[in-house]
Amino acid sequence: MAGSVGRICKGFQRLGLLSKQTQLIPFTRVPVGTVRTIVTLPSFLFPQPRDFSLPNPSWGSEIMRMYEHYESQCEVETEGGQKQKGPWRRLPSYNRLLKYATGGVYLSKMIQSKARLFTRNIRNPGAAFEYVLFVNKEEQKCVCILQAGHLLEGPPGHVHGGAIATMIDTVTGTHATFLSGPVMTANLNINYRRPIPLGSTVLLESSLEKKEGRKTFITCRVTSTDGSKLHTETSALFLSITASHLLGG
Amino acid sequence: MAGSVGRICKGFQRLGLLSKQTQLIPFTRVPVGTVRTIVTLPSFLFPQPRDFSLPNPSWGSEIMRMYEHYESQCEVETEGGQKQKGPWRRLPSYNRLLKYATGGVYLSKMIQSKARLFTRNIRNPGAAFEYVLFVNKEEQKCVCILQAGHLLEGPPGHVHGGAIATMIDTVTGTHATFLSGPVMTANLNINYRRPIPLGSTVLLESSLEKKEGRKTFITCRVTSTDGSKLHTETSALFLSITASHLLGG
């Protein structure tokens, strides 16, 4: 498959559509902001990607309040009045076009593929998952603020256990990737303590437990935004993967 | 809230819109076929519910082959040429309108609510979860045949771990409800062994491990349809709930 990608790239180069400095790198789950090398493809193939982690009109007051709380800690002011990086950093939304462009091995699928990231597959704002992730490198923590829309129902009036698991996998997986590079989920052990009402905003807090060789152990709690209600507790295990895992699918 | 439901029902009865034999029963996750008592509401409120567990044109040859395999065991022929119930039974799809109609406490939300079951929230056939469940009462087993659509992507070209967890929760939860009545998910412990390619059809096999008081322990394996590839292994715990749990949300 790598050979066919090479041929596609050469084809693009002949057409003057690819930068000569193009470098294809293996890649999974890495959000936009952390990509080091980007294949320069013609702009008509890539409409300006939307950053879904930014507020939209469907966001209610609670997700906005929490967003502003963490956003305000991404840049802080020193005593001298200068601005500098704060402890938290917002992760722009994971962009599938970029993933395919940098993933290289999937380049051939990129143009025709209809595939869409599960957590962003409904484009109607507010209907499903509205969320944003922030990461704290020093504390090795990641938080996600989630507003759960009406299309996520499981028990009457409450969020489906699978939708909660989906966000836990997304947040812990993104966190593990941030800490260890490309990973795959090996285990999710989720204790459901209290159901989440549809429409509510909750906080997912992901913490590094330990790293052992290829293994990254993460814990994650889902709580109400004030921390008073515990909805789920999770331990998760991720395994680092190499380019061969990606190439082999 | 129960009082207000009573008032709503009396209002319907005065209008001649409800059967006098109406009996509201607590209810969660029970598929259409297992409901014992149904509130008779005016037909204009309920367009004929679609049974999503029946084949549609998006179903590929593999899901059709598996469907026909289990469907053929729902009714068998005796030596005398008579037809009788077989070991398996297809579960019609979980219908939200019916849930609200029979749930009673949610009747007031029913008419205006936009909520939709997470696994059926995309109406484009074949785009997301296409699945059907069969249950075997004697063997205390439940199987689900799943065709994973292109909107379920996680790792490039493969199904999102959360989408897999969603189906595991759905199948084991339905199975636990079939065995123990209304339940809530208490724990899902999922080991991911091998990614599932987008577009493929897999088999989820759910088995009762044991029942202890309010607890129902279920195990679930996700494999290729021929059983040769193991994708995930799960142990799940469900807690039986009472009407007060439902009323209290």
Side-chain angles (χ1 to χ4, degrees):
Chain A
M1 186 177 290
S4 64
V5 173
R7 282 193 294 277
I8 292 170
C9 288
K10 281 179 185 169
F12 274 127
Q13 281 173 344
R14 272 197 298 273
L15 292 166
L17 297 175
L18 271 186
S19 154
K20 288 181 181 175
Q21 286 76 43
T22 294
Q23 180 190 348
L24 300 173
I25 55 170
F27 171 83
T28 59
R29 288 176 187 271
V30 183
V32 175
T34 63
V35 173
R36 290 163 298 162
T37 310
I38 297 174
V39 175
T40 313
L41 285 168
S43 59
F44 67 84
L45 287 178
F46 295 104
Q48 186 64 28
R50 179 181 155 199
D51 185 348
F52 292 95
S53 73
L54 294 172
N56 68 55
S58 79
W59 285 24
S61 58
E62 193 58 15
I63 186 172
M64 278 306 302
R65 189 180 68 77
M66 295 300 294
Y67 173 84
E68 285 161 3
H69 169 75
Y70 284 101
E71 183 69 16
S72 70
Q73 294 179 64
C74 292
E75 196 176 68
V76 294
E77 204 161 298
T78 62
E79 288 184 1
Q82 287 182 315
K83 288 188 174 180
Q84 65 179 33
K85 281 184 179 176
W88 291 92
R89 173 180 158 201
R90 182 175 60 80
L91 296 182
S93 66
Y94 175 58
N95 186 278
R96 192 178 169 282
L97 289 179
L98 195 61
K99 170 178 70 176
Y100 276 64
T102 56
V105 293
Y106 297 97
L107 197 62
S108 59
K109 293 183 184 175
M110 178 186 67
I111 298 164
Q112 295 179 347
S113 175
K114 299 180 295 179
R116 210 182 295 161
L117 184 65
F118 182 47
T119 58
R120 304 287 192 192
N121 67 9
I122 290 174
R123 290 291 160 87
N124 183 14
F129 300 102
E130 290 290 341
Y131 65 97
V132 52
L133 276 73
F134 291 88
V135 69
N136 186 317
K137 191 175 179 182
E138 194 173 334
E139 294 183 13
Q140 296 186 313
K141 286 185 183 299
C142 180
V143 299
C144 170
I145 312 160
L146 165 70
Q147 179 181 282
H150 58 274
L151 297 188
L152 306 182
E153 192 179 50
H158 293 84
V159 181
H160 195 291
I164 301 168
T166 296
M167 284 311 302
I168 291 170
D169 186 36
T170 297
V171 176
T172 54
T174 301
H175 191 197
T177 301
F178 188 82
L179 293 164
S180 306
V183 295
M184 292 291 278
T185 313
N187 175 264
L188 286 181
N189 189 351
I190 306 172
N191 287 306
Y192 292 87
R193 306 292 188 199
R194 177 194 287 257
I196 299 174
L198 280 184
S200 62
T201 295
V202 293
L203 190 66
L204 292 91
E205 293 178 289
S206 172
S207 305
L208 174 66
E209 189 185 326
K210 60 181 175 180
K211 287 174 69 171
E212 283 178 359
R214 284 180 61 208
K215 298 177 180 175
T216 302
F217 295 85
I218 303 270
T219 58
C220 181
R221 284 162 54 90
V222 183
T223 65
S224 54
T225 52
D226 64 1
S228 67
K229 292 177 186 168
L230 176 63
H231 293 291
T232 71
E233 286 178 301
T234 300
S235 62
L237 167 62
F238 295 88
L239 287 184
S240 293
I241 56 172
T242 62
S244 65
H245 288 98
L246 289 170
L247 291 165
Chain B
M1 187 180 288
S4 65
V5 173
R7 282 192 295 278
I8 291 170
C9 287
K10 282 180 185 168
F12 275 127
Q13 281 172 345
R14 272 196 296 275
L15 291 167
L17 297 175
L18 273 187
S19 155
K20 286 182 183 175
Q21 287 74 44
T22 294
Q23 180 191 348
L24 299 173
I25 56 170
F27 171 83
T28 60
R29 288 178 186 270
V30 183
V32 176
T34 63
V35 172
R36 290 163 298 162
T37 310
I38 296 173
V39 175
T40 313
L41 285 169
S43 60
F44 67 83
L45 287 178
F46 296 102
Q48 185 65 30
R50 179 180 155 200
D51 184 349
F52 292 96
S53 73
L54 294 172
N56 69 55
S58 79
W59 286 24
S61 57
E62 193 57 14
I63 186 172
M64 277 306 302
R65 189 180 69 77
M66 295 300 292
Y67 172 83
E68 284 161 3
H69 169 75
Y70 284 99
E71 183 70 16
S72 70
Q73 295 180 64
C74 291
E75 195 177 66
V76 292
E77 204 163 299
T78 63
E79 287 184 1
Q82 288 183 314
K83 286 188 174 178
Q84 65 179 33
K85 280 185 181 176
W88 290 93
R89 173 178 159 202
R90 182 176 59 80
L91 296 181
S93 66
Y94 174 59
N95 186 278
R96 193 179 168 281
L97 289 178
L98 194 62
K99 169 178 72 176
Y100 275 63
T102 56
V105 293
Y106 295 98
L107 196 63
S108 59
K109 293 181 184 174
M110 177 187 66
I111 299 163
Q112 295 179 346
S113 175
K114 299 179 295 177
R116 210 182 295 163
L117 184 66
F118 182 46
T119 57
R120 303 287 192 191
N121 67 9
I122 290 173
R123 290 290 161 86
N124 184 14
F129 300 102
E130 291 289 341
Y131 65 98
V132 52
L133 276 73
F134 292 87
V135 71
N136 187 317
K137 191 175 179 181
E138 194 173 335
E139 293 183 13
Q140 298 187 313
K141 287 185 183 296
C142 181
V143 299
C144 170
I145 312 159
L146 164 70
Q147 178 181 283
H150 58 274
L151 297 187
L152 305 183
E153 193 179 51
H158 292 83
V159 181
H160 195 290
I164 301 168
T166 296
M167 284 310 303
I168 291 169
D169 185 36
T170 297
V171 177
T172 55
T174 301
H175 191 196
T177 301
F178 188 83
L179 294 164
S180 307
V183 296
M184 292 290 280
T185 314
N187 175 263
L188 286 181
N189 189 352
I190 306 172
N191 288 305
Y192 293 88
R193 306 292 189 200
R194 178 194 285 257
I196 299 174
L198 279 184
S200 61
T201 294
V202 293
L203 189 66
L204 292 91
E205 293 179 289
S206 171
S207 304
L208 174 66
E209 189 185 326
K210 60 181 174 180
K211 288 174 70 172
E212 284 178 359
R214 285 180 60 208
K215 298 177 180 175
T216 303
F217 296 85
I218 303 269
T219 58
C220 182
R221 285 162 51 92
V222 183
T223 65
S224 54
T225 52
D226 64 0
S228 67
K229 292 177 187 169
L230 175 63
H231 295 291
T232 69
E233 286 178 301
T234 300
S235 62
L237 167 62
F238 295 88
L239 287 183
S240 292
I241 56 171
T242 61
S244 63
H245 288 99
L246 289 170
L247 292 165

